[in-house]
Amino acid sequence: EVQLVESGGGLVQPGGSLSLSCAVSGFTFNNIVMMWVRQAPGKGLEWVSSIARSGNTKYGDFVKGRFTISRDNARNTLSLRLNSLKPEDTAVYYCAKSIGNYWSSPLDAWGQGTLVTVSS
């Protein structure tokens, strides 16, 4: 059974930082592109970042160097470090898996999400 379990969300002040983690199981983690997507209140899904099995990364334009995606293939864990957080980063963050190792590989599973709230 494919499982993705996010953790690490919470309330943080503007300018603060958080580290999100996603523990995965039930599939071969180290062979595929993994990504983070988010959904702000009342809005649609927004792609945040992707990481290939090689460790190559891509980020949404809004990230502007503030976030860092990483993966630990030995521990089947995906991470996202969020720095310099802004109120507009408030969203549920989802870890998602693709079906292959291409940037265009479609998603086929995601976790339940973890809420990040940026507010003073």
Side-chain angles (χ1 to χ4, degrees):
E1 179 187 4
V2 171
Q3 289 191 325
L4 302 95
V5 181
E6 301 94 338
S7 62
L11 174 64
V12 62
Q13 292 187 342
S17 299
L18 279 176
S19 290
L20 308 184
S21 293
C22 176
V24 310
S25 60
F27 61 96
T28 305
F29 176 73
N30 61 3
N31 281 347
I32 58 174
V33 167
M34 295 291 297
M35 64 184 69
W36 288 94
V37 296
R38 70 183 187 181
Q39 186 168 29
K43 297 188 177 181
L45 286 173
E46 179 178 37
W47 171 69
V48 176
S49 181
S50 296
I51 185 167
R53 65 181 178 184
S54 63
N56 289 340
T57 59
K58 287 191 171 185
Y59 296 92
D61 290 341
F62 68 90
V63 171
K64 299 186 186 300
R66 299 181 298 127
F67 300 172
T68 303
I69 190 173
S70 60
R71 65 192 299 162
D72 185 336
N73 289 334
R75 298 185 178 185
N76 284 3
T77 301
L78 180 72
S79 300
L80 185 68
R81 175 68 176 177
L82 311 173
N83 293 325
S84 302
L85 283 162
K86 306 174 183 179
E88 52 263 43
D89 293 318
T90 294
V92 177
Y93 285 72
Y94 298 93
C95 162
K97 67 174 287 289
S98 70
I99 64 171
N101 196 43
Y102 298 98
W103 294 122
S104 59
S105 295
L107 303 179
D108 68 344
W110 44 88
Q112 83 290 346
T114 187
L115 176 63
V116 172
T117 303
V118 185
S119 175
S120 55

